[in-house]
Amino acid sequence: MSTEPMNGSQILLKALSEQGVDVIFGYPGGAVLPIYDELFKQNHIRHILVRHEQGAAHAAEGYARSTGKVGVILVTSGPGATNAVTGLTDALMDSIPLVCITGQVPTHLIGNDAFQEADTTGITRPCTKHNYLVKKTGDLARVVHEAFYVARSGRPGPVVIDLPKDVAMGLGHYTPATAVGHKSYNPRTEGDPQLIAQAIELMAKAKCPLVYAGGGVINSGPQASERLTRFIRDTGFPCTLTLMGLGAYPASDKQFLGMVGMHGTFEANHAMHDCDLMICIGARFDDRVTGRLNAFSPGSKKIHIDIDPSSINKNVAVDIGIVGDVGNVLGEMAGLWKARKNKPDKKVLAPWWKKIEAWRSRLCLRYKPSSSIIKPQYAIERLYALTREHKDVFITTEVGQHQMWAAQHFGFDKPNHWMTSGGLGTMGYGLPAAMGVQVAHPKALVIDIAGEASVIMNIQEMSTIAQYRLPVKVFILNNQYMGMVRQWQELLHGGRYSESYMESLPDFVKLAEAFGAAGLRATKPDEVDDVIKEMLAIDKAVIVDVMVDQKENCFPMIPSGAAHNEMLLGPDDEAGNPISDEGMVLV
Amino acid sequence: MSPQAQQENKHTISVLVDNEAGVLARVIGLFSGRGYNIESLTVAVVDPKQALSRITIVTSGTPMIIEQIKAQLDRLVPVHKVSDLTLDGPRVERELALVKVRGLGEKRVESLRIADIFRAHVVDSTQESFVFEIVGSTEKLDAFIDLMAPLGLAEVSRTGVVAIARGVDTI
Ligand SMILES: Cc1ncc(C[n+]2csc(CCOP(=O)(O)OP(=O)(O)O)c2C)c(N)n1
Ligand SMILES: [Mg+2]
């Protein structure tokens, strides 16, 4: 320890810099004032002042998801910390690496119900991957380095560092990152070669194989997506992706069957049901994907590759479970496949592909076009078509029907360009997430595909967007309903639209102007292209209010409690398939 | 699913953890948050130099749930090692109980006689009460306590199960 002692806040910033942090999303308060004072005195870390701590957390998620780096948040004690909880939970569910520094009352006051005291480590224990309460300034640097290691390694997730004010002000010595190892947390990243060989054996024999990949492929890094793509090409297998996995395999490719799950495609879900070999890569058999568990893909052998051992055999028992980084395992599998000189066996796979093509020919994403009223699907199709020329397009979403339509109708060919709240389904995610993406990619086109209800949940972030001149585009599919709630009420509750209609919505055009952004509106189908073009031509933030069909429902749909092959394709299917009592209790 | 896969079995799981603030809350929170059973849980420092504690948990569930419990425990950052002693082979399991029995006359004598059979020790006595210390398996303790019930059983304090594998191997 030859270095001069520093105060805790200086140690914190030095450790963040050493971890490669260049941006923090935060909001000040009494318990973090010493840290803000040190931030003021330096200029290598940029601080983005949000308008609500939930916004900071989602912005950091957008930042992390679009860069592959750890997102960083700084909030004060008490309400600052509790406001961040939704964002932390969201990051935990979707495996997004975050480090959240929360201020805390000085150590001698902890437990006394001091002003703005909350039991932050207690509150965040179940919604973080790990958390720390730092009691000594001398421990701080080590804790910060450890927190980054935990956040980014294994299955990524959020980590909280609770920092009492006296620790941030006290003196201590700095510990460099290189001096910090981890004694107990060492996740396995290489798959077991024997199991990989067995998996290849099964693949070589499969007649109706299907690859089902998810967000783990994105988390593993762009190389994993490249390897997945090559592997699919080398095998000739069909591939489906989860909501979180979109972009891990090019949507424009023939071997892609579209998204799987509750609002996935007819072909993807039927292929899941009928396949004889399912290869699950970095996905977790979520209930939105599996539908009714006891009818889930009854005839298939299952291989599951995941970095998190607890994901394997959690919901669905599998035949081969391989623990490891999916990128590494895909690399190993590709090598073995090549070594066996296996080629896509067109003859063996032909009947399977023929079946798939028959499902595909149902054109399940079709909708009834209209010349008088804007169909939400049409608006997204046009948005996709008119932005294809742009080099770098990032899409975030809120939660609801618009989210599902975006997933269905916007094609993603690259990883890290699609950010949505999958596991937690957090309304209010999209706008701050878009803000975080735009901070990380100032030149890119960043669009939040929004619902009018969700976007209001964090609309205050328009003010942050104005302050930092972020040219974020907010594309609202305005149906004046909590559409997804209305849809469930129509299908499950006899059309009693209890509290799902929004009265007194703001005038989004004026709202945009109030925040210094541009506001545009489309009310007829023939105005859609024009407002999109206009939006793209404006080099500042824009809110586009697209008035869409209020009654449109999102199809296809696997109703709750139903199996993959019991999908509803459209409104005409509803009547014949009443939802079971077991289905009614499911979320 | 086969009936075997559905059957719930009791498992004794040893968890080696860093002895740090909050670690027990993490383990207990995991069980309550995910709806797993805890039949017994004990914890104490076992290696003061390396600041390691050992938690012994007796839980029950189907084989798939037991696998989940172990994987979830292993995922906690301060957890070093998770061992399923029930699957690992023969083991020794012990629990200690302090049992207070109040009574006079024949009942008092009878309680002493039974304590003797169970190799329980008297660790405190007054004119009208005994505190017995008994060590053994959970079943033995249960049996002893049952027999004390008609003889003036007043109060029980139990440690919960601690366990260790037989033989030369360590966890
Ligand atoms: C924070 C939060 N509260 C409630 C819900 C339940 N919920 C799911 S979708 C939805 C309606 C969303 O409405 P809107 O944003 O207008 O999207 P739409 O479905 O109309 O496209 C609601 C209330 C949620 N997902 N998140
Ligand atoms: Mg709506």
Side-chain angles (χ1 to χ4, degrees), chain A residues 199-206 237 277 337 340 342 345 348:
Chain A
I200 291 288
E201 246 357 274
L202 285 183
M203 291 182 213
K205 279 194 255 158
F237 291 176
L277 178 67
W337 188 264
R340 295 175 52 126
N342 283 345
D345 194 334
V348 171

Side-chain angles (χ1 to χ4, degrees), chain B:
Chain B
M1 239 187 274
S2 67
Q4 227 173 334
Q6 292 288 9
Q7 198 178 332
E8 294 208 1
N9 283 316
K10 218 189 224 190
H11 283 245
T12 305
I13 296 170
S14 268
V15 193
L16 218 50
V17 300
D18 283 327
N19 174 33
E20 60 179 34
V23 66
L24 194 58
R26 283 180 213 287
V27 170
I28 291 172
L30 176 77
F31 275 74
S32 64
R34 294 187 182 266
Y36 306 140
N37 298 321
I38 299 183
E39 295 190 6
S40 143
L41 185 145
T42 67
V43 58
V45 175
V46 290
D47 183 343
K49 261 207 215 99
Q50 294 190 64
L52 291 180
S53 293
R54 180 167 173 144
I55 301 176
T56 307
I57 304 168
V58 180
T59 182
S60 59
T62 62
M64 212 160 143
I65 295 285
I66 297 291
E67 279 310 306
Q68 258 303 296
I69 291 175
K70 289 184 280 186
Q72 293 289 354
L73 284 168
D74 213 14
R75 211 158 75 119
L76 298 176
V77 170
V79 166
H80 288 251
K81 183 125 210 280
V82 178
S83 313
D84 187 336
L85 295 176
T86 302
L87 291 189
D88 286 354
R91 66 189 179 282
V92 184
E93 280 193 16
R94 289 289 181 274
E95 206 184 334
L96 182 147
L98 298 172
V99 181
K100 187 174 284 183
V101 177
R102 268 197 305 241
L104 297 165
E106 185 49 34
K107 284 191 176 168
R108 184 171 162 82
V109 179
E110 178 64 9
S111 72
L112 261 186
R113 213 165 15 233
I114 292 175
D116 195 42
I117 297 169
F118 276 77
R119 288 176 222 259
H121 302 289
V122 176
V123 291
D124 178 72
S125 77
T126 68
Q127 302 274 322
E128 52 196 295
S129 72
F130 288 123
V131 174
F132 296 110
E133 172 199 283
I134 177 167
V135 175
S137 68
T138 298
E139 294 72 27
K140 175 176 164 181
L141 269 54
D142 288 345
F144 180 73
I145 292 164
D146 278 353
L147 287 173
M148 288 298 139
L151 303 177
L153 179 69
E155 190 178 340
V156 178
S157 178
R158 293 171 71 149
T159 57
V161 172
V162 292
I164 203 161
R166 290 185 186 274
V168 292
D169 294 336
T170 58
I171 67 166

Side-chain angles (χ1 to χ4, degrees), chain A residues 399-402 425 427 451-454 457 479 481-485:
Chain A
V399 171
Q401 291 178 318
H402 63 277
M427 292 171 70
E452 80 295 335
S454 298
M457 286 214 174
N479 51 13
Y481 270 105
M482 297 172 201
M484 192 56 97
V485 173

Side-chain angles (χ1 to χ4, degrees), chain A residues 252-287:
Chain A
S252 51
D253 190 89
K254 283 198 308 292
Q255 281 168 261
F256 183 53
L257 307 190
M259 182 172 73
V260 66
M262 185 173 268
H263 292 290
T265 64
F266 191 72
E267 52 271 33
N269 285 324
H270 274 265
M272 286 287 267
H273 190 268
D274 284 10
C275 65
D276 68 357
L277 178 67
M278 182 182 295
I279 306 143
C280 170
I281 306 176
R284 59 184 177 92
F285 295 95
D286 172 78
D287 53 78

